Amino acid sequence: MSTICAISTAKGGAIGIIRTSGPDAISITDRIFRNTKGRHLSEAKPYSIVYGNIIDDNEVVDEVLVSVFLGPNSYTGEDSTEISCHGSAYILNKVVELLLKNGCEMARPGEFTQRAFLNGKMDLSQAEAVADLIASQNRATHRIAMQQMRGGYSTKLQNLRDQLLEMTSLLELELDFSEEDVEFADREKLIRLAEDIQSEIAHLTHSFRLGNAIKNGVPVAIIGAPNVGKSTLLNALLNEDKAIVSEIQGTTRDLIEDTVTIGDVTFRFIDTAGIRHTDDTIEKLGIERSRKAAEKAQIIILMAEPGVDFPDIDIQSDQTVIRIINKTDEFQALNGIGLKQLEQQLIEAVPTELTDDILVTNLRHYEALSLAHEDITRSLEALNMNLSGDLVSEDLRQCLSHLGEILGNITSNEVLGNIFKNFCIGK
């Protein structure tokens, strides 16, 4: 395995960090480092910080601190160093240049975390949570990523896999003794266990709607008749003139959207065409898009004004509806009256206190869980129909396989490549 290096901090800061990892991480760093007391990094205590200089042909590049980590007790599970220097682009690039000249290879995006996964320091779902943690934009997304990175999600999935393994073991043991007509697995007990697993997987699968919304912005559709103040409300919520405001009916003919963080949550507001009867072909298309936006939204703000009714749209059971009568003493989007109360209603509509509940935020996980749910459902149907154990076992093995794809127990190199290529270099 090669030794890799990369800058691990963003450009422009006062301090920069260059990270190395691999079998020769300490010795390569030692070749360009001089401790003021003449000691080598190989002599330093593990997990200690050593002060000294980075040297290039006897010329001091920078005064630095070098942190020394010994595998397997490091982030990657390998010997590692972290060189803390001044954040000058020249200094950072020079240190990397010297490391490369002395035997390091440039790290690919996500390679440090990929090595941590391959060395058993974390499972694949935890590795993916590292990228989510770096990308988190608010407290809610930060908490979800931290929960996943610390293994709460992994523990739940591993418990499900253990139960499935127990079921398949009992059923396959029966097949080995089929001629003796021995039953190792109580069918009623297996049915109850399969029902519990099915329920758990269904719960995780259904959580994706909320988890994905929190991660990418909770979709909020602003729906109402023309000219009731939808675009004015969008501009007020965004605190900018995003949408054109006009007294002419039908001004908004396409969806206009943008995101803003309120409290701990990022909301994705969608201003829509006013819903009314019209013979205008283009406006009809806009109204149809409005209805589709309402179908996909998690929260719908229904707007009206005195003398104008709320629009008639289909509301789904899992959608939150907030009704506003604009241009009244209680609410005026143009003047900001009632806006704080509306923002509070939006915050309360999104459960961000996660406690022990797990939210699935990753599309890859959602797809694997959906397939696992189909597998366990077929297994349960086969058990209820008292079909042979080999048919039940096949679906159980497929269910195990799909859960294993999330944890990384069963993962192709192509999948790994697609996951880690989206990481930043140095992580």
Side-chain angles (χ1 to χ4, degrees):
M1 175 91 50
S2 61
T3 298
I4 56 174
C5 69
I7 300 169
S8 293
T9 47
K11 294 180 180 179
I15 302 297
I17 295 176
I18 298 100
R19 171 185 277 177
T20 74
S21 181
D24 300 319
I26 295 172
S27 61
I28 290 175
T29 306
D30 223 358
R31 292 170 199 163
I32 67 171
F33 176 77
R34 295 293 181 272
N35 175 246
T36 53
K37 296 182 179 178
R39 300 159 91 180
H40 293 288
L41 289 175
S42 57
E43 300 171 11
K45 292 181 180 179
Y47 325 112
S48 63
I49 299 175
V50 184
Y51 169 76
N53 298 315
I54 296 295
I55 303 294
D56 179 25
D57 288 335
N58 294 319
E59 180 181 338
V60 175
V61 176
D62 196 16
E63 295 181 354
V64 301
L65 295 173
V66 178
S67 303
V68 179
F69 305 92
L70 295 184
N73 299 316
S74 68
Y75 179 76
T76 60
E78 304 170 335
D79 288 354
S80 304
T81 66
E82 290 183 357
I83 303 170
S84 300
C85 60
H86 291 95
S88 154
Y90 169 78
I91 292 173
L92 288 164
N93 291 330
K94 186 65 178 179
V95 174
V96 170
E97 177 190 319
L98 292 170
L99 289 168
L100 295 174
K101 189 184 295 183
N102 282 275
C104 275
E105 295 180 6
M106 198 68 198
R108 301 186 304 274
E111 189 169 1
F112 290 96
T113 304
Q114 184 172 5
R115 290 191 178 200
F117 163 67
L118 294 173
N119 290 326
K121 300 298 293 183
M122 58 180 71
D123 64 41
L124 195 54
S125 70
Q126 290 172 296
E128 289 170 292
V130 173
D132 289 343
L133 186 66
I134 294 170
S136 61
Q137 298 290 319
N138 52 58
R139 181 169 173 260
T141 51
H142 172 265
R143 290 188 67 185
I144 293 172
M146 283 298 297
Q147 185 184 60
Q148 185 171 326
M149 198 171 76
R150 288 176 173 173
Y153 180 36
S154 303
T155 300
K156 186 176 284 287
L157 291 176
Q158 192 58 56
N159 287 339
L160 288 171
R161 291 191 80 245
D162 290 344
Q163 293 175 63
L164 286 164
L165 283 169
E166 180 184 354
M167 287 183 68
T168 55
S169 299
L170 290 171
L171 286 167
E172 289 175 12
L173 192 59
E174 274 188 12
L175 294 174
D176 291 340
F177 291 87
S178 57
E179 293 182 2
E180 283 78 11
D181 196 26
V182 177
E183 186 178 86
F184 289 94
D186 182 301
R187 286 295 168 120
E188 290 302 318
K189 181 180 178 181
L190 287 180
I191 288 172
R192 288 194 299 272
L193 185 55
E195 287 173 342
D196 289 342
I197 295 170
Q198 183 192 47
S199 177
E200 283 284 343
I201 294 176
H203 179 72
L204 288 171
T205 306
H206 292 155
S207 76
F208 177 71
R209 179 177 170 86
L210 175 59
N212 185 58
I214 291 175
K215 180 178 177 179
N216 297 307
V218 177
V220 183
I222 305 173
I223 305 291
N227 249 25
V228 296
K230 299 185 299 301
S231 297
T232 303
L233 177 61
L234 175 69
N235 290 339
L237 288 165
L238 299 178
N239 199 27
E240 64 171 294
D241 292 334
K242 180 78 174 183
I244 296 173
V245 177
S246 169
E247 294 181 0
I248 302 171
Q249 290 195 348
T251 304
T252 303
R253 297 193 172 197
D254 206 347
L255 304 183
I256 301 172
E257 64 178 89
D258 208 340
T259 60
V260 66
T261 298
I262 303 172
D264 297 331
V265 181
T266 298
F267 292 91
R268 181 159 48 86
F269 291 103
I270 307 160
D271 181 24
T272 64
I275 295 179
R276 64 168 179 166
H277 175 74
T278 179
D279 294 325
D280 187 299
T281 304
I282 302 300
E283 191 176 353
K284 280 182 177 180
L285 288 174
I287 292 170
E288 182 59 29
R289 289 184 180 183
S290 297
R291 293 190 181 279
K292 288 182 178 178
E295 289 175 9
K296 296 178 181 178
Q298 185 167 330
I299 301 173
I300 297 174
I301 297 178
L302 277 182
M303 288 194 72
E305 64 179 8
V308 177
D309 293 333
F310 290 111
D312 182 21
I313 62 169
D314 294 330
I315 305 295
Q316 301 170 51
S317 60
D318 59 349
Q319 290 179 311
T320 299
V321 179
I322 300 174
R323 289 176 169 81
I324 293 172
I325 300 178
N326 193 25
K327 306 175 186 178
T328 63
D329 291 341
E330 292 77 24
F331 197 94
Q332 296 177 32
L334 182 61
N335 299 318
I337 297 173
L339 199 62
K340 290 297 181 185
Q341 291 85 341
L342 172 60
E343 290 177 346
Q344 187 59 39
Q345 285 181 279
L346 290 166
I347 292 169
E348 291 172 358
V350 183
T352 58
E353 294 302 321
L354 304 178
T355 60
D356 294 329
D357 204 13
I358 304 294
L359 291 181
V360 176
T361 63
N362 187 300
L363 178 60
R364 188 181 74 85
H365 299 179
Y366 169 74
E367 290 172 345
L369 285 165
S370 298
L371 293 171
H373 187 263
E374 293 176 10
D375 298 327
I376 191 64
T377 299
R378 283 196 302 271
S379 295
L380 184 58
E381 290 171 352
L383 285 167
N384 281 317
M385 294 170 65
N386 204 29
L387 298 181
S388 64
D390 56 341
L391 294 175
V392 179
S393 292
E394 178 57 31
D395 287 321
L396 291 178
R397 281 193 293 269
Q398 287 295 317
C399 188
L400 276 166
S401 176
H402 288 126
L403 294 182
E405 289 173 6
I406 300 174
L407 294 169
N409 306 109
I410 305 168
T411 311
S412 69
N413 288 331
E414 182 181 2
V415 170
L416 289 179
N418 286 333
I419 290 170
F420 289 106
K421 74 178 182 182
N422 296 314
F423 277 61
C424 53
I425 294 175
K427 195 62 181 179

